[in-house]
Amino acid sequence: MASWYILQIALLLSFTTSLSLSYDLLQLQQQQQRSSLACLKLLRQVKGKPGNCHQDRIDFKFPEEILQPQQFQKEKAALVIQEMLQNVLGIFRKNISTTVWNETIVENLTDELHQQMDHLKSTILQERLEDKNMTMRDTMTTLRLKSYYWRISKYLRAKKNSICAWTVVQAELIRNFSIINRLTNYFRD
């Protein structure tokens, strides 16, 4: 008889944990979408010279596996988003004094990126990072992302942070936030 009650309690706890995680994911999705849209809006406010920069375009080779979010568990998608945000922020930190953009917009953008990363950490990443070890596939995805952002930083240095280089990077970062939105939408599936 006591084991029956223990089973009921275990099922109730399991159900409560699932509901809590689902609620956290829904909240995370809403916060991430708002924040990503704010970042996109800020990026679009920056004035580049897209018409004059066609010769400066480059394929930075975004990791293809990230373009199919259905292959990730929801928590892994959050880890990918975290890595993307951290690297985008790194581009601005390294190049903030050389960016040709309005400083206020860049500061607002970096503030928004910090808020997005804080939402991820507080909602799901902290407990998931402690719970699960990264697989070799996760590690390779992370390394490919780091390489991708390294190529962007290297490109900016090679082009001496020119207006055209920042215009190309702006278009690439807009694409990044579209991908982040796609990954965020995966939370509700």
Side-chain angles (χ1 to χ4, degrees):
M1 190 60 139
S3 62
W4 175 250
Y5 289 117
I6 292 173
L7 179 61
Q8 286 181 328
I9 290 171
L11 286 173
L12 182 62
L13 286 174
S14 173
F15 181 70
T16 305
T17 303
S18 291
L19 281 178
S20 174
L21 183 56
S22 294
Y23 179 73
D24 287 347
L25 288 172
L26 181 61
Q27 274 191 315
L28 176 64
Q29 178 194 25
Q30 292 168 347
Q31 290 168 336
Q32 285 299 118
Q33 283 178 332
R34 277 193 303 271
S35 198
S36 287
L37 290 174
C39 287
L40 278 169
K41 183 179 176 184
L42 288 166
L43 279 171
R44 288 186 175 124
Q45 287 176 11
V46 177
K47 304 294 184 230
K49 294 186 176 186
N52 302 336
C53 300
H54 293 295
Q55 73 279 3
D56 289 307
R57 294 172 112 192
I58 185 173
D59 179 8
F60 294 107
K61 296 181 174 62
F62 189 84
E64 292 293 320
E65 67 268 20
I66 295 171
L67 299 176
Q68 279 102 36
Q70 62 274 13
Q71 75 174 346
F72 294 115
Q73 294 176 344
K74 293 172 186 181
E75 294 83 8
K76 299 294 183 186
L79 290 171
V80 168
I81 292 169
Q82 174 75 13
E83 187 66 36
M84 290 176 72
L85 294 172
Q86 193 171 354
N87 281 282
V88 169
L89 185 60
I91 287 171
F92 287 109
R93 272 198 210 130
K94 290 177 193 168
N95 301 292
I96 198 155
S97 63
T98 57
T99 171
V100 294
W101 297 343
N102 177 309
E103 276 187 47
T104 304
I105 293 174
V106 173
E107 287 173 13
N108 290 341
L109 183 60
T110 57
D111 289 346
E112 196 64 47
L113 288 167
H114 276 292
Q115 287 177 11
Q116 272 188 288
M117 291 190 317
D118 288 345
H119 290 311
L120 279 169
K121 285 178 187 173
S122 66
T123 308
I124 137 180
L125 285 180
Q126 197 59 38
E127 65 186 61
R128 292 298 169 225
L129 285 173
E130 292 168 2
D131 276 354
K132 299 185 180 190
N133 295 325
M134 289 186 68
T135 65
M136 181 61 121
R137 184 177 182 180
D138 297 332
T139 303
M140 292 306 296
T141 299
T142 300
L143 287 174
R144 284 188 195 100
L145 268 174
K146 287 181 185 292
S147 294
Y148 164 76
Y149 288 105
W150 177 81
R151 286 188 290 274
I152 292 173
S153 292
K154 182 179 169 188
Y155 170 80
L156 284 169
R157 282 190 308 276
K159 294 289 186 173
K160 297 181 175 41
N161 291 292
S162 69
I163 292 172
C164 280
W166 276 104
T167 300
V168 169
V169 169
Q170 175 189 15
E172 192 68 19
L173 295 179
I174 287 171
R175 178 177 178 234
N176 271 238
F177 282 102
S178 296
I179 293 166
I180 288 171
N181 282 337
R182 196 173 328 143
L183 289 167
T184 302
N185 286 336
Y186 179 62
F187 290 158
R188 72 175 152 194
D189 293 341

